[in-house]
Amino acid sequence: MPDLLIELFSEEIPARMQTRAAQDLQKLVTNGLVDAGLTYASAAAFSTPRRLTLTLEGMLAESPSVVEERKGPKADAPEKAIEGFLRGAGVTRDQLEERDTPKGKILFAKIDKPGRPAAEIVAEVLEQTIRNFPWPKSMRWGAGALKWVRPLHSIICILSAEDGAEVVPMDVDGITSGDTTFGHRFLAPDAIKVTSFEDYEAKLARANVVLRADARAETIWNDATNVAFASGMEVVEDAGLLAEVAGLVEWPVVLMGNIADDFLGLPPEVLQTSMKEHQKFFSVRNPKTGRIEKFITVANRTTADNGATILAGNEKVLSARLSDAKFFWENDLRVAQSDTGMATWVKALENVTFHNKLGTQAELIERMAVLARELAPMVGADADEAEAAASVAKADLSSEMVYEFPELQGLMGRYYASAAGKSDAVAAAAQEHYAPLGPSDDVPTAPVSVAVALAEKINKLTGFWAIDEKPTGSKDPFALRRAALGVIRILVENGQNVGLKEVFRNSEKKLRTLYETKPIGSAL
């Protein structure tokens, strides 16, 4: 039984598309082969920035012969109908069999389909796969009509067995199949001839290409933690960033650089977010101070100066990025610490629409504040403090930092509330009122945070039900299910006993002053 090796070699594939593309390649090819009668023992797909690879072991050398039986018209049917059936089935009249059935005498044809060589089937299936590959985005290049995520340069398609290997002949818009690939773009760019998957993977490794994404990720993480540990530091874990960086390099080389002293006073979350989003850097934390003091970048090559030039360039670019973050941070602090404080941002939200039927963000905050005050005694919170917390909980949406990094909303609100002289409970509520954001997220436990979080979610549910924007079986654009589950989790995990029907009914009554709607509380 032969083994199959396929490689589609191209320009760099975006990291976010690689894993899915490898899965799609395996699914499309294996499904096509099985439908054609070619079964196999095992399959595995791999991806690097420049290649998609598929290997199948223990595949049949040819598809089995089958006999297909096809039901035709009645024996006394018009001659033209019978002739049409003969043409469709590819048989002659003397090959038909007449059988008695409850509907009378019916003609049947037995069609012998001989087996086909594996190479013939593989070529058809792979060409169909390439021409119809489900890339999220694709492009044309040159004068050809073929579409691929980036220009496709070469195709390996090999059937290997104990007696040797053979190239499966095929041609896709001038790109012919072969047994040749290429190593690392800079470190080993020469052509490499391969005979099997084992030979392919071993030769790629010698040519500075790590084929397996999990191996690249493991190398990156081990080297990063080791180099940080040697300096008394620790790498901030980020599984998503690790997977993305592993898709950016074929030969990972870990380098640790310094963050300029001017930026060490920024909140660690700001440093981490800026470096991750803009530069794909890992943050390195000093466990003694909790500050982010260094970064780790992953190069795609070794250099004669051990990465010194690469690090110098990265540090220069990072300083420019962090200068922007520092500017935003300092401007926001001036606003938060001014005489008007966070009220300036709340005022600005009067011009920001929450929903065209539910008013502005400022009106949302007003409703939240009223509801938080009502909920406060039910959850053991101070009513004045809960109302004050709800009044500034979303103020940071107007800040420059959150405008640049929306994922920091709430967190920056906590920093700014503290800078504005608000109590710790009010500051905490600014961050925690969004929680829980998912099933693995913790719920708020502080009474003020619980009151504001419930107010935010109940107000959202009441408002969208009032305007008949309910979730459906397939759509929930306003995350109302998450809000409802959040209310339940907050109450259950905090052991609170709140009369939700009355709370929803009162919230709905307040909305009546602005909207004509049906009672909502009675439906819960």
Side-chain angles (χ1 to χ4, degrees), residues 503-515:
V503 171
F504 274 95
R505 192 174 290 114
N506 290 340
S507 179
E508 183 267 337
K509 287 178 181 178
K510 294 179 177 66
L511 282 171
R512 279 174 177 270
T513 60
L514 296 176
Y515 315 106

Side-chain angles (χ1 to χ4, degrees), residues 121-410:
I121 297 173
V122 167
E124 290 179 2
V125 170
L126 183 55
E127 180 174 358
Q128 184 74 7
T129 296
I130 293 173
R131 294 189 182 279
N132 299 282
F133 203 82
W135 292 109
K137 292 183 179 181
S138 56
M139 62 178 288
R140 292 190 182 97
W141 62 95
L146 181 65
K147 287 184 177 182
W148 201 247
V149 63
R150 295 290 185 270
L152 183 63
H153 292 317
S154 66
I155 300 170
I156 286 180
C157 192
I158 298 174
L159 283 173
S160 57
E162 293 181 358
D163 57 350
E166 65 168 318
V167 174
V168 176
M170 60 180 297
D171 184 310
V172 182
D173 278 23
I175 305 172
T176 57
S177 57
D179 57 2
T180 302
T181 186
F182 300 88
H184 191 279
R185 183 186 289 276
F186 305 112
L187 302 177
D190 295 335
I192 303 168
K193 190 171 183 178
V194 299
T195 58
S196 65
F197 175 71
E198 293 75 14
D199 182 49
Y200 168 80
E201 186 173 23
K203 287 181 176 177
L204 281 183
R206 292 196 291 273
N208 302 96
V209 175
V210 180
L211 179 63
R212 300 171 188 265
D214 56 351
R216 298 196 299 273
E218 184 178 357
T219 296
I220 292 169
W221 185 249
N222 287 340
D223 291 353
T225 52
N226 287 339
V227 72
F229 181 78
S231 298
M233 302 282 189
E234 60 185 16
V235 184
V236 178
E237 290 191 37
D238 191 325
L241 178 60
L242 179 60
E244 183 175 8
V245 173
L248 295 173
V249 295
E250 290 192 320
W251 190 254
V253 178
V254 169
L255 304 170
M256 186 165 71
N258 297 308
I259 300 172
D261 292 342
D262 293 348
F263 308 119
L264 296 182
L266 288 171
E269 297 87 354
V270 171
L271 287 170
Q272 186 177 350
T273 301
S274 180
M275 292 193 295
K276 172 183 176 179
E277 295 299 321
H278 294 309
Q279 305 302 127
K280 309 305 177 188
F281 291 169
F282 293 91
S283 298
V284 181
R285 179 170 51 213
N286 186 333
K288 296 179 181 178
T289 63
R291 297 193 311 179
I292 304 295
E293 297 182 357
K294 294 180 181 291
F295 70 89
I296 281 179
T297 184
V298 182
N300 192 32
R301 60 174 300 170
T302 56
T303 60
D305 62 359
N306 295 318
T309 302
I310 294 174
L311 274 180
N314 282 332
E315 288 173 351
K316 184 177 180 179
V317 174
L318 179 61
S319 291
R321 290 292 189 185
L322 294 183
S323 293
D324 292 341
K326 184 181 179 184
F327 176 78
F328 299 145
W329 169 248
E330 291 175 347
N331 277 359
D332 288 344
L333 283 182
R334 278 193 288 272
V335 173
Q337 294 169 347
S338 66
D339 293 339
T340 55
M342 301 178 77
T344 303
W345 289 332
V346 175
K347 179 71 175 175
L349 291 176
E350 293 178 0
N351 299 316
V352 179
T353 300
F354 170 63
H355 187 281
N356 60 357
K357 294 183 180 180
L358 293 175
T360 65
Q361 288 281 1
E363 290 171 325
L364 167 68
I365 290 172
E366 290 177 9
R367 296 195 295 271
M368 277 178 55
V370 172
L371 189 53
R373 185 175 189 88
E374 177 185 334
L375 287 165
M378 303 180 190
V379 297
D382 179 85
D384 292 336
E385 203 166 33
E387 183 178 8
S391 298
V392 299
K394 295 187 180 294
D396 66 334
L397 295 178
S398 296
S399 69
E400 294 184 33
M401 186 68 78
V402 172
Y403 182 83
E404 178 70 12
F405 300 113
E407 60 269 33
L408 293 180
Q409 66 181 10

Side-chain angles (χ1 to χ4, degrees), residues 465 468-481:
W465 243 263
D468 201 28
E469 289 281 5
K470 303 171 187 177
T472 64
S474 59
K475 295 182 180 179
D476 185 13
F478 303 109
L480 301 183
R481 289 190 183 90

